[in-house]
Amino acid sequence: MINLFLKRLGQAAFVCWSVGTLGFVLMRLLPGDMAFRVAAGRYGYDNVNLAAAEAVRAELGLDQPAWRLYLEWLFDLLRFNLGDSLVSGLPVLGEIAHLLQHTLLLAGVAILIAILIAVPVGLFAAFRADGWFDRLALTASAFLRAQPVFVIGLVLILIFALELRLFPVAGFDGANHVVLPAIALALSMAAVSNRVVRHSASTVIRSAFFAFARIKGLSFAQSFARHGLRNCALPVVAFLGIQLASAIEGIVMIESLFSWPGLGHGLAHAVFNRDVPMIQGAAMALGLIFVGLNLAVDLACHLIDPRGRTSA
């Protein structure tokens, strides 16, 4: 267990350095004047002129060599100081903390909805393997998985926001605002997860130990609950660690589509305004979320599978 924590801690440190460095380099490789973009983010494009851009350049030290600015950022990172936003002037750490709570809310609701969809659908498809429901679930899953997550979000907006007027189009001002973005993200995740559940449950049902449980006189439900559920859950939980990468990517697109005030939306605005400290902070936060969720998956697998505890 200690080795697992140390491994994830090392990954978190590497994520912070690599993501921050990559953001620093890529922002300076983009065409255009960085000082002008930052000034436009501060004052608006209609109020920006050459004097304003030069003032921003001198204020932020953008005329200094890139290597010097990178070393200053690296030294600040070692002190857990992410700097200030180039646009708002507020500490990046405070803005990230504000955005993070909205991202975690959206991600948590989406994962919960995805589980509530994927587990029943996958189990019922496994119990009725090769039946009409199994084929229908496969077709729906393939169709949804083929769609980019923002396409699913647009369809939900057109139907439930613009046509039926059941939910707001965008923003955040209550629980009803989280429904459409969470469902869009959940449908994309559940499209794959339910097939993993189905395959895992089918493998358990066809196994020798499950057949032996039935021979002993246990009913199908008793055999699956006592001997199949844990064996079925292990590969499903392990797969969540792989799917979380696409979930983080989907969060960025969904937040931008629904104007959700989270890290993804903040990252998109920061890229547009060349706000390098905000880009680095938001990207690092998303990377750390991924590492933290993978740690949770590892702990869940450790608790589910007694063989790992025995060998340890």
Side-chain angles (χ1 to χ4, degrees), residues 143-179:
F143 176 78
L144 286 174
R145 192 65 187 100
Q147 311 304 317
V149 66
F150 66 85
V151 173
I152 300 175
L154 283 174
V155 172
L156 293 178
I157 290 175
L158 291 174
I159 297 175
F160 296 101
L162 299 181
E163 186 67 26
L164 300 179
R165 300 185 183 277
L166 297 177
F167 300 101
V169 175
F172 177 74
D173 191 26
N176 58 336
H177 285 76
V178 76
V179 175

Side-chain angles (χ1 to χ4, degrees), residues 190-201:
V192 181
S193 299
N194 84 87
R195 304 313 297 172
V196 176
V197 173
R198 188 265 186 200
H199 175 75
S200 180

Side-chain angles (χ1 to χ4, degrees), residues 22 24 39 45 54 73 82 113 117-118 153 184-185 221-222 227 232 236 251 264 278 297 299:
L22 190 62
F24 183 91
Y45 276 91
E54 291 300 327
W73 168 80
L82 300 182
I113 296 175
I117 295 174
L185 189 58
Q222 290 174 329
H227 302 285
C232 174
V236 174
I251 284 177
M278 273 298 298
V297 169
L299 294 177

Side-chain angles (χ1 to χ4, degrees), residues 45-134:
Y45 276 91
D46 295 336
N47 301 319
V48 175
N49 51 33
L50 182 60
E54 291 300 327
V56 168
R57 194 188 316 278
E59 174 190 349
L60 302 178
L62 298 179
D63 51 351
Q64 299 181 17
W67 63 267
R68 179 177 299 175
L69 297 175
Y70 175 74
L71 290 180
E72 291 178 357
W73 168 80
L74 194 59
F75 181 70
D76 288 337
L77 180 63
L78 294 175
R79 297 184 299 167
F80 301 98
N81 178 19
L82 300 182
D84 298 330
S85 169
L86 302 184
V87 175
S88 66
L90 298 175
V92 170
L93 194 59
E95 294 206 18
I96 294 298
H98 174 72
L99 298 174
L100 180 60
Q101 59 183 343
H102 294 91
T103 294
L104 292 179
L105 172 63
L106 176 59
V109 175
I111 292 174
L112 179 61
I113 296 175
I115 292 174
L116 293 177
I117 295 174
V119 173
V121 171
L123 290 179
F124 193 79
F127 296 158
R128 299 292 185 269
D130 299 324
W132 68 269
F133 184 83
D134 188 19

Side-chain angles (χ1 to χ4, degrees), residues 41 45 50 61 66 116 119 131-132 135 175 184 204 258 265 274 293-294 297 301:
Y45 276 91
L50 182 60
L116 293 177
V119 173
W132 68 269
R135 292 193 294 269
V204 168
F258 287 90
H265 189 55
R274 302 289 181 88
L293 291 176
N294 272 282
V297 169
C301 291

